[in-house]
Amino acid sequence: MVRRAQDEGHVDVIFPGTVTQDGCCRFVSEILKCILYQRQQLPMTYDQLVYSQKKQQEKHAGSRRPGQSADLAWRKCQQTMQELEEVLQQLEVLYSLSRVPRVLLLLGGSVILPKELYEINMEALVVASGDRCLRVSSCLRQLFRTLFVADLLSDTRPVRLMPTTVLVLAHRNCGVEWFRPKLQFKVPTRVKKQVISLSTDSRSHKELTPDWQDYVWFQAPMTIKGFNK
């Protein structure tokens, strides 16, 4: 599994049941946070940064004039966290309006030719509602256990800071306002793509394949700029 994931840049995560639309949003959000940390765009995990920010706020509240270097690092951290929080909040809005079968995370370079490209493919997920859906927490445990065993995101080489752009495939008439439609966008082919495919076990749940023809790419109007200490 590890060799296939690294050679092919592909990991399959097969859930044993249906998932909710909110669950799909959580999967994307947590993968985004993980990739930013694993690809050295954040100095620590998202949860650790949130905790660190609270501590820094308390420290700054009790200090009249923090040092210049500490103040600069604090502002960079705040900016990155604000950008990330904005993207996460807008993803929640989008998921309330449309199915989102594919999400692209583009690091560095340009939208046409990024340095790194990650795809979260959820076309084969069976989305439902109600008590019979799998718990999001158990799905997340399975997802990250599979990712870490496959070792898809690790790279010992140092990575420079890069902006991260988020693109989502959603229904053209979903009414989303924050994300910008990119009708002519084509997924870059000149860079190796790392794909995380999430699906529902077809042996236990059948669903008619949705028609994705009316779905188009939308791009977040801002990037998430990485930072380090």
Side-chain angles (χ1 to χ4, degrees), residues 147-159:
L147 279 182
F148 289 130
V149 169
D151 204 24
L152 182 71
L153 304 177
S154 68
D155 192 335
T156 56
R157 295 172 298 176
V159 180

Side-chain angles (χ1 to χ4, degrees), residues 190-218:
R190 292 167 58 191
V191 60
K192 183 178 179 181
K193 182 169 61 173
Q194 309 281 3
V195 181
I196 302 169
S197 289
L198 310 181
S199 62
T200 299
D201 191 339
S202 60
R203 293 172 298 180
S204 57
H205 292 83
K206 300 287 186 183
E207 183 187 55
L208 293 175
T209 303
D211 184 1
W212 306 119
Q213 287 189 350
D214 287 329
Y215 282 64
V216 299
W217 288 105
F218 291 83

Side-chain angles (χ1 to χ4, degrees), residues 4-57:
R4 176 176 179 263
Q6 293 177 340
D7 291 347
E8 300 180 11
H10 193 116
V11 170
D12 290 306
V13 183
I14 304 173
F15 297 125
T18 59
V19 297
T20 64
Q21 182 79 340
D22 287 343
C24 294
C25 185
R26 279 287 306 281
F27 303 154
V28 172
S29 297
E30 296 303 323
I31 290 173
L32 171 58
K33 296 174 192 175
C34 178
I35 287 177
L36 289 174
Y37 171 63
Q38 291 287 334
R39 302 308 299 136
Q40 304 171 37
Q41 302 306 302
L42 298 177
M44 57 187 80
T45 67
Y46 173 82
D47 290 336
Q48 289 171 332
L49 274 174
V50 171
Y51 178 77
S52 176
Q53 262 203 318
K54 289 181 180 178
K55 288 295 184 182
Q56 286 293 331
Q57 285 175 338

Side-chain angles (χ1 to χ4, degrees), residues 1-225:
M1 179 180 180
V2 174
R3 181 176 296 177
R4 176 176 179 263
Q6 293 177 340
D7 291 347
E8 300 180 11
H10 193 116
V11 170
D12 290 306
V13 183
I14 304 173
F15 297 125
T18 59
V19 297
T20 64
Q21 182 79 340
D22 287 343
C24 294
C25 185
R26 279 287 306 281
F27 303 154
V28 172
S29 297
E30 296 303 323
I31 290 173
L32 171 58
K33 296 174 192 175
C34 178
I35 287 177
L36 289 174
Y37 171 63
Q38 291 287 334
R39 302 308 299 136
Q40 304 171 37
Q41 302 306 302
L42 298 177
M44 57 187 80
T45 67
Y46 173 82
D47 290 336
Q48 289 171 332
L49 274 174
V50 171
Y51 178 77
S52 176
Q53 262 203 318
K54 289 181 180 178
K55 288 295 184 182
Q56 286 293 331
Q57 285 175 338
E58 295 171 1
K59 185 177 178 181
H60 279 224
S63 174
R64 291 185 178 180
R65 294 186 63 184
Q68 282 189 341
S69 60
D71 194 41
L72 180 61
W74 164 246
R75 288 202 304 270
K76 285 183 177 179
C77 176
Q78 274 194 315
Q79 179 185 354
T80 297
M81 292 297 284
Q82 287 170 358
E83 291 166 350
L84 178 53
E85 289 288 352
E86 179 73 9
V87 171
L88 295 176
Q89 289 172 10
Q90 295 299 333
L91 280 171
E92 290 183 10
V93 174
L94 175 64
Y95 270 87
S96 71
L97 299 171
S98 171
R99 280 285 300 270
V100 184
R102 297 171 69 189
V103 176
L104 298 180
L105 308 177
L106 284 60
L107 277 66
S110 65
V111 174
I112 298 173
L113 186 60
K115 296 288 185 183
E116 299 183 15
L117 171 58
Y118 300 88
E119 175 180 339
I120 307 167
N121 189 303
M122 297 168 284
E123 292 177 327
L125 269 181
V126 179
V127 177
S129 59
D131 296 337
R132 293 190 176 183
C133 290
L134 298 172
R135 293 178 59 185
V136 175
S137 57
S138 62
C139 290
L140 286 172
R141 282 195 297 271
Q142 179 184 347
L143 167 60
F144 283 104
R145 183 168 57 245
T146 305
L147 279 182
F148 289 130
V149 169
D151 204 24
L152 182 71
L153 304 177
S154 68
D155 192 335
T156 56
R157 295 172 298 176
V159 180
R160 64 183 180 86
L161 293 178
M162 301 178 286
T164 298
T165 302
V166 178
L167 284 105
V168 294
L169 192 67
H171 197 280
R172 64 169 64 245
N173 297 323
C174 66
V176 67
E177 296 180 355
W178 191 77
F179 286 90
R180 304 287 189 262
K182 300 283 287 186
L183 302 181
Q184 304 302 319
F185 175 77
K186 295 187 182 302
V187 179
T189 57
R190 292 167 58 191
V191 60
K192 183 178 179 181
K193 182 169 61 173
Q194 309 281 3
V195 181
I196 302 169
S197 289
L198 310 181
S199 62
T200 299
D201 191 339
S202 60
R203 293 172 298 180
S204 57
H205 292 83
K206 300 287 186 183
E207 183 187 55
L208 293 175
T209 303
D211 184 1
W212 306 119
Q213 287 189 350
D214 287 329
Y215 282 64
V216 299
W217 288 105
F218 291 83
Q219 179 180 336
M222 60 186 290
T223 60
I224 303 167
K225 300 173 187 66

